[in-house]
């Protein structure tokens, strides 16, 4: 009979506690179903590769299969501390019948992971009752129809923002002939009800055969491990002896498979299948059944061969699939990302001074390009048009789809990445900051040495032994908490688990004072942390190098720059690596168009005399050139970073769009007063640091994040623009897109 089943293997390697809020007993529950029907996957095979490396008190019971909902649950394990690893090393195979589908299923499979939790003090029946209650978190994935013919993919499970973990999982899929294994009676009942077209099932098995054969070759080459295919080759060569009818047909449909299985045979098989698949319609049912049975046996043999190969090489295969998954992130998530390259500066700027002509009439220097349209509005419109186009897309690729992202693609943040290239060096003239410019084609091409403090040492040295100490400092904003940026921290840890991080607490509940004082406190906090880590590494494996990175939210970015301006930080400037500014007001609020927010700032200044608000609004000194922000722009706080990423949002009403992006704004481009001149000088001072010569090529990116605001509704937060400002802290999807698309900047 023409019957097929879908087999989906789920390999769980380890559970890593990234950011769980509670200690306790945890358990992972797995189930699957077709997306548009009630057909459930049935666990039919469980293989424990390695025993969990846990003490007697840290495990309870065994893994179990629940026939009521066809689910599998791992052995309960106890989590006691952060970044704890639990080795699980278990493979669970589920089978699903095609149900109503003829041949290749048109429905996806939904793979569901549930995180079960029980208090750490519970044991026995109380523990089991707690674990069987509602899950603490759920993470679902979609296996699209194209992937159901064959797939081997890494699938990290993180659950949600309040239960952030990393479960290393790989998914392995194949279409098999029913009867190749012994599924449960429930699954057999589902298979028996299927009415299919024979030639479509043969075609599906042929595709599954080719896919599995090709994937086996990729895995073998990827981990540099040999798969014994001798028996398979002899089985294929013996077609003429045992299946004379197959010789005439399968050779044209599938193609010849030699004993060594060279690469061109895989390509030839696929091409021949596409050209000769029409022959299937001319065959009798008996011929089709013979081909179907033969192909089913070959696919089953290949599948068992893979399972044996996987058991012997599960760690290597997982690493290979994880590396492949990481490389594919930019391509898969490009749906929500728009890329562009621009040259810096965007505009030619002048001093803003009117020059008298010979007849005494003042005229404006023409080197300043006026902005007739609001850049924030342009960015918002561009993102919204892209969001509408996503709503019309039909996404059906072979990637496993994270339902947090693919569940409703039109509600995911749109990220517009602007890579700033070929930064010109500034040369001064009487009336124009950029009247003459030199274009630096490659920042990294300069080989000259700098004697200035904080520059990286010139010359090259032999590779040194020891550890490279990588430290990331996270700084919260106004009236913030030291854990505000934990979601971005967690994404960084996923990319590079070896980083040491400091969630700055030095200014917690002290963000209303002078930025200079806040910077001083942060500088001392950072130096103390760095010295502690340096001493520890030096005593153990030895210190090879240091990479010091910073992430700031809102005014936390100003605190970071104030800290870097402190003289005590000078010895550490050479180690600066990556700087991520999340909606930071780098140019202050000299030009702020949010009248409601400006009113709130005015009240804070009048009623509480908040010093930092005076500094942000340039009212801390009557002379604009003596204000804190103007003086900060003259400090070299940016030029020592290798990579600078400025995150902004046109929906953020708390921070002026141009201030977060360090660029010209519409109001300033038309302002001929002293205020306009001071603003342009500050802007040029900041951009000069970014375009300054560097011993390595500096990456400078502006990333616009456009959030879906349809769920916000009308409330005070959306009216004053606070919703988007806080969304940077409550969502990590935008950070995931950016960081995994440019992982080299975060390693």
């Amino acid at each position: 009979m023409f019957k097929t089943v879908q087999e989906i293997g789920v390999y769980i390697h380890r559970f890593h506690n990234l950011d769980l809020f509670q200690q306790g007993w945890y358990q992972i529950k797995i189930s699957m179903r077709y997306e548009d029907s009630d057909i459930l996957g049935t666990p039919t095979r469980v293989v424990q590769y390695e025993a969990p490396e846990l003490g007697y008190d840290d495990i309870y019971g065994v893994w179990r299969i629940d026939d009521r909902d066809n689910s599998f649950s791992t052995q309960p394990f106890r989590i006691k501390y952060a970044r704890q690893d639990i080795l699980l090393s278990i493979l669970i195979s589920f089978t699903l019948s095609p149900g109503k589908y003829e041949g290749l299923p048109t429905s996806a499979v939904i793979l569901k992971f549930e995180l079960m939790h029980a208090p750490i003090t519970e044991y026995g029946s109380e523990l089991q009752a707690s674990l069987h209650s509602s899950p603490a978190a759920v993470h679902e994935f979609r296996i699209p129809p194209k992937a159901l013919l064959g797939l081997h993919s890494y699938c990290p499970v993180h659950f949600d923002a309040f239960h952030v973990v990393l479960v290393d999982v790989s998914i392995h899929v194949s279409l098999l002939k029913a009867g190749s294994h012994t599924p449960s009676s429930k699954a057999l009942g589902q298979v028996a009800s299927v009415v299919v077209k024979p030639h479509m099932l043969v075609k599906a098995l042929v595709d599954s055969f080719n896919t599995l054969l090709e994937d086996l070759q990729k895995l073998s080459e990827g981990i540099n491990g040999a798969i014994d295919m001798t028996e398979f080759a002899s089985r294929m060569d013996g077609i003429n002896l045992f299946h004379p009818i197959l010789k005439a047909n399968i050779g044209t449909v599938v193609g010849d498979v030699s004993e060594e299985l060279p690469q061109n045979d895989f390509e030839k098989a696929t091409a021949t299948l596409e050209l000769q698949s029409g022959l299937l319609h001319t065959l009798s049912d008996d011929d089709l059944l013979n081909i179907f049975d033969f192909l089913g046996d070959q696919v089953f043999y290949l599948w068992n061969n893979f399972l044996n190969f996987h058991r012997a090489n599960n760690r290597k295969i997982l690493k290979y699939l994880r590396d492949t998954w990481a490389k594919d992130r930019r391509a898969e998530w490009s749906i929500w990302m728009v890329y562009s390259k621009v040259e810096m500066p965007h505009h030619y700027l002048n001093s803003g001074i009117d020059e008298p002509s010979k007849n005494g009439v003042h005229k404006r220097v023409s080197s300043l390009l006026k902005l007739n349209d609001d850049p924030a509005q342009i960015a918002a419109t561009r993102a919204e048009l892209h969001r509408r186009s996503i709503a019309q897309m039909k996404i059906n690729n072979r990637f496993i789809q994270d339902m947090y992202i693919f569940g409703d693609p039109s509600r995911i943040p749109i990220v517009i990445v602007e890579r700033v290239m070929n930064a010109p060096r500034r040369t001064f003239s009487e009336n124009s900051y950029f009247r003459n410019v030199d274009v630096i084609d490659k920042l990294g091409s300069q080989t000259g040495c700098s004697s200035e403090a904080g520059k990286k040492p010139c010359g090259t040295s032999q590779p040194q032994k020891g550890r490279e100490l990588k430290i990331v400092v996270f700084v919260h904003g106004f009236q913030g908490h030291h854990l505000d940026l934990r979601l971005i921290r967690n994404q960084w840890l996923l990319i590079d688990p070896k980083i040491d991080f400091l969630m700055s607490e030095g200014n917690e509940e002290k963000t209303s004072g002078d930025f200079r004082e806040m910077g001083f406190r942060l500088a001392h906090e950072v130096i103390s942390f760095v010295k502690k880590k340096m001493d520890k590494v030096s005593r153990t494996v030895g210190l090879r190098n240091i990479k010091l990175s910073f992430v700031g939210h809102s005014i936390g970015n100003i605190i970071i720059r104030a800290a870097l301006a402190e003289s005590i930080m000078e010895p550490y400037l050479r180690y600066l690596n990556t700087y991520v500014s999340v909606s930071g007001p780098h140019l202050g609020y000299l030009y702020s168009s949010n009248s409601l927010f400006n009113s709130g700032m005015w009240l804070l200044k009048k009623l509480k005399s908040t010093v930092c608000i005076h500094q942000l609004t340039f009212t801390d000194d009557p002379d604009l050139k003596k204000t804190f922000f103007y003086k900060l722009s003259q400090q070299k706080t940016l030029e020592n970073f290798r990579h600078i990423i400025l995150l902004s949002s046109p929906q953020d009403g708390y921070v002026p769009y141009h201030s977060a992006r360090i660029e010209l704004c519409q109001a300033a481009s038309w302002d001929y007063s002293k205020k306009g001149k001071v603003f342009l000088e500050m802007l040029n001072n900041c951009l000069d640091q970014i375009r300054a010569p560097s011993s390595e090529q500096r990456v400078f990116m502006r990333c616009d994040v456009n959030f879906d605001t349809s769920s916000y509704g009308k409330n005070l937060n959306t009216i004053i623009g606070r919703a988007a400002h806080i969304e940077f802290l409550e969502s990590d999807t935008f950070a995931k897109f950016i960081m995994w698309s440019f992982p080299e900047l975060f390693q």
Side-chain angles (χ1 to χ4, degrees):
M1 296 296 293
F2 295 93
K3 301 173 184 176
T4 60
V5 292
Q6 201 77 55
E7 181 157 337
I8 300 177
V10 181
Y11 173 64
I12 308 176
H13 182 66
R14 65 154 185 163
F15 180 100
H16 177 72
N17 173 23
L18 198 62
D19 195 21
L20 286 171
F21 286 177
Q22 291 181 307
Q23 293 181 327
W25 293 98
Y26 287 90
Q27 183 181 52
I28 301 172
K29 182 178 178 180
I30 308 170
S31 59
M32 64 179 66
R33 60 176 174 81
Y34 277 117
E35 185 175 31
D36 60 358
S37 75
D38 57 356
I39 297 178
L40 301 175
T42 304
T44 55
R45 186 195 329 238
V46 179
V47 183
Q48 183 76 57
Y49 287 175
E50 301 175 54
E53 298 174 352
L54 295 171
Y56 176 77
D57 294 334
D58 294 326
I59 56 175
Y60 182 86
V62 295
W63 56 261
R64 60 191 298 272
I65 293 175
D66 191 339
D67 290 334
R68 293 171 297 180
D69 57 1
N70 283 6
S71 65
F72 170 87
S73 298
T74 65
Q75 186 177 30
F77 48 87
R78 185 157 57 177
I79 295 295
K80 298 178 181 178
Y81 51 87
R83 302 177 81 168
Q84 180 180 353
D85 276 329
I86 303 294
L87 178 67
L88 297 173
S89 191
I90 190 169
L91 174 73
I92 312 99
S93 292
F94 289 79
T95 58
L96 296 96
S97 73
K100 63 184 179 181
Y101 308 108
E102 298 181 351
L104 180 62
T106 57
S107 173
V109 170
I110 300 299
L111 176 58
K112 184 177 182 180
F113 293 88
E114 297 175 79
L115 182 64
M116 316 305 290
H117 172 256
I120 199 168
T121 56
E122 291 188 354
Y123 288 92
S125 58
E126 292 182 354
L127 172 60
Q128 292 293 346
S130 295
L131 290 175
H132 293 165
S133 62
S134 59
V138 177
H139 198 168
E140 291 187 332
F141 296 86
R142 182 177 185 268
I143 305 176
K146 283 186 178 180
L148 293 179
L149 286 179
L151 176 73
H152 301 277
S153 176
Y154 179 63
C155 179
V157 180
H158 303 303
F159 293 107
D160 58 31
F162 300 102
H163 305 86
V164 183
V165 302
L166 170 61
V167 186
D168 278 320
V169 174
S170 62
I171 306 298
H172 309 276
V173 182
S174 185
L175 182 70
L176 302 177
K177 182 183 72 170
S180 298
H181 49 78
T182 307
S184 67
S185 58
K186 184 175 181 180
L188 284 172
Q190 293 172 347
V191 174
S193 65
V194 179
V195 178
V196 297
K197 294 180 180 179
H199 73 274
M200 294 186 67
L201 282 181
V202 172
K203 173 71 163 57
L205 267 186
V206 168
D207 290 341
S208 178
F209 170 85
N210 287 330
T211 300
L212 186 53
L213 200 55
E214 183 179 357
D215 287 346
L216 276 173
Q217 186 190 38
K218 288 181 179 178
L219 289 173
S220 176
E221 294 175 351
I223 70 169
N224 196 25
I227 303 178
D228 184 8
M229 302 294 287
T230 306
E231 183 181 347
F232 173 75
S234 63
R235 290 160 68 104
M236 295 299 293
D237 288 337
I239 294 174
N240 190 34
L241 294 177
F242 300 102
H243 300 283
I245 297 178
L246 296 181
K247 174 67 175 178
N249 297 294
I250 201 131
T252 58
V253 176
V254 180
D256 296 328
V257 182
S258 66
E259 185 173 352
E260 296 180 356
L261 299 174
Q263 178 66 28
N264 60 351
D265 280 335
F266 291 97
E267 297 173 354
K268 178 181 177 183
T270 303
T272 306
L273 173 62
E274 294 177 357
L275 293 174
Q276 303 294 334
S277 58
L279 294 178
L280 292 173
H281 294 275
T282 66
L283 299 179
S284 66
D285 286 349
D286 290 339
D287 288 345
L288 285 173
L289 183 59
N290 284 333
I291 296 176
F292 178 81
D293 288 338
F294 171 77
L295 279 173
D297 292 342
Q298 306 315 307
V299 173
F300 180 66
Y301 172 81
L302 287 176
W303 180 247
N304 276 338
N305 216 356
F306 161 73
L307 293 176
N308 293 331
F309 182 66
H310 182 268
R311 183 167 189 171
N313 301 275
N314 59 85
R315 292 175 184 263
K316 292 181 179 179
I317 291 175
L318 183 73
K319 182 181 183 304
Y320 169 75
L321 293 176
R322 181 172 57 233
D323 292 344
T324 303
W325 176 90
K327 292 176 183 177
D328 290 339
R329 289 310 86 207
R330 181 166 181 171
E332 181 180 349
W333 292 337
S334 62
I335 298 172
W336 297 274
M337 301 187 72
V338 182
Y339 298 94
S340 64
K341 292 183 180 180
V342 299
E343 290 191 1
M344 184 171 67
H346 297 272
H347 317 283
Y348 293 101
L349 310 177
N350 70 1
S351 62
I353 300 176
D354 292 342
E355 292 185 335
S357 62
K358 293 181 179 180
N359 57 9
V361 179
H362 287 71
K363 64 179 181 179
R364 179 71 166 172
V365 177
S366 61
S367 60
L368 178 62
L369 179 64
K370 305 296 188 298
L371 297 179
N372 295 315
D373 297 313
D374 183 8
Q377 186 59 45
I378 294 173
T381 302
R382 183 184 182 189
E384 188 57 33
L385 290 174
H386 190 75
R387 186 181 302 280
R388 292 177 186 176
S389 69
I390 290 175
Q392 299 174 359
M393 290 182 182
K394 292 184 178 180
I395 303 172
N396 184 19
N397 50 34
R398 288 189 72 228
F399 291 116
I400 292 180
Q401 299 168 358
D402 186 338
M403 294 301 284
Y404 280 136
I405 299 174
F406 289 88
D408 192 350
S410 62
R411 301 188 65 177
I412 300 302
I414 305 298
V415 182
I416 300 177
V417 179
E418 185 180 273
R419 181 79 174 266
V420 185
M421 307 292 291
N422 302 330
R425 296 182 63 182
R426 171 176 164 187
T427 59
F428 293 92
S429 63
E430 182 180 357
N431 296 308
S432 175
Y433 289 103
F434 301 110
R435 185 69 60 82
N436 300 305
V437 296
D438 298 324
V439 177
I440 303 174
D441 291 327
K442 292 184 179 179
L443 291 172
S445 63
Q446 300 195 14
T447 56
C449 299
S450 172
S451 58
E452 297 179 19
K455 298 291 183 184
K456 300 171 185 60
C458 61
T460 58
S461 58
Q462 296 296 325
Q464 303 176 15
K465 296 181 179 180
R467 176 188 167 190
E468 182 177 60
L469 180 61
K470 291 179 278 190
I471 297 174
V472 186
V473 181
F474 297 85
V475 184
H476 61 80
F478 185 66
Q479 296 180 348
H481 189 272
H482 68 279
L483 293 178
D484 279 352
L485 289 163
R486 67 181 187 86
L487 295 182
I488 296 180
R489 175 205 64 187
N490 292 342
Q491 286 300 322
W492 203 314
L493 280 169
L494 289 173
I495 290 178
D496 188 356
K498 296 181 180 180
I499 67 165
D500 291 288
F501 58 85
L502 168 64
M503 309 299 288
S504 174
E505 302 180 53
N507 290 298
E508 202 166 343
E509 300 182 357
K510 300 175 184 177
T511 53
S512 298
D514 192 315
F515 278 117
R516 285 175 284 257
E517 296 175 359
M518 289 186 269
F520 182 77
R521 287 193 289 267
L522 177 62
H524 279 273
E525 186 180 17
V526 170
I527 291 172
S528 175
F529 185 84
V530 172
K531 284 184 175 180
K532 179 181 177 181
K533 295 297 180 181
M534 289 174 62
D535 291 344
K536 181 179 179 180
V537 173
S538 298
R539 289 195 306 267
T540 54
V541 296
L543 183 61
R544 174 166 54 90
N545 186 29
I546 301 174
K547 286 184 177 180
L548 181 59
S549 300
F550 285 85
V551 181
H553 176 248
S554 191
I555 68 167
N557 293 285
I558 310 306
I559 300 173
I560 291 172
R561 291 177 58 198
L564 295 176
E566 292 289 335
S567 59
I568 57 174
M569 284 293 295
E570 188 173 323
Y572 301 91
L573 298 182
R574 71 182 65 187
Y575 304 123
L576 294 181
N577 186 46
T578 297
Y579 173 41
V580 180
S581 167
V582 182
S583 197
H586 295 280
L587 300 176
Y589 290 78
L590 201 57
Y591 295 96
S592 176
S593 59
N594 189 338
S595 57
L596 287 174
F597 182 77
N598 293 341
S599 299
M601 300 272 277
W602 181 85
L603 285 173
L604 283 174
K605 288 192 292 184
K606 292 296 182 182
L607 300 180
K608 294 189 176 182
S609 190
T610 307
V611 177
C612 71
I613 302 299
H614 280 283
Q615 293 173 326
L616 284 165
T617 55
F618 295 80
T619 57
D620 52 317
D621 196 283
D623 186 350
L624 289 176
K625 290 194 174 183
K626 293 182 180 179
T627 58
F628 166 79
F629 264 85
Y630 185 86
K631 291 182 178 180
L632 181 66
S633 73
Q634 295 176 314
Q635 300 289 326
K636 307 300 182 183
T637 59
L638 297 172
E639 73 175 21
N640 292 290
F641 284 104
R642 294 183 180 92
H643 316 302
I644 298 176
I645 305 172
L646 304 179
L647 272 62
S648 59
S649 175
Q651 302 158 311
D652 185 354
Y654 263 33
V655 174
Y657 182 70
H658 67 275
S659 192
R661 290 169 58 85
I662 311 183
E663 67 178 5
L664 185 66
C665 66
Q666 188 179 29
S669 71
W670 290 92
D671 190 349
Y672 301 164
S673 67
K674 182 180 180 180
K675 174 183 173 182
K677 175 187 175 182
V678 168
F679 176 85
L680 294 181
E681 289 179 357
M682 286 197 310
L683 173 59
N684 291 331
N685 290 339
C686 292
L687 294 181
D688 280 350
Q689 298 174 47
I690 298 173
R691 72 170 62 84
S694 172
S695 60
E696 299 181 17
Q697 184 170 350
R698 179 182 287 113
V699 174
F700 175 38
M701 296 194 307
R702 295 186 177 108
C703 298
D704 261 0
V705 182
N706 187 283
F707 299 102
D708 172 52
T709 58
S710 61
S711 61
Y712 293 169
K714 289 290 184 180
N715 54 51
L716 182 61
N717 281 341
T718 57
I719 293 173
I720 65 177
R722 181 177 181 270
H725 191 69
I726 300 302
E727 192 70 16
F728 277 115
L729 304 179
E730 297 180 346
S731 167
D732 64 351
T733 304
F734 70 92
K736 184 182 300 183
F737 287 171
I738 295 170
M739 297 174 79
W740 284 97
S741 295
F742 303 95
E744 66 278 4
L745 306 184
F746 304 94
Q747 294 175 335

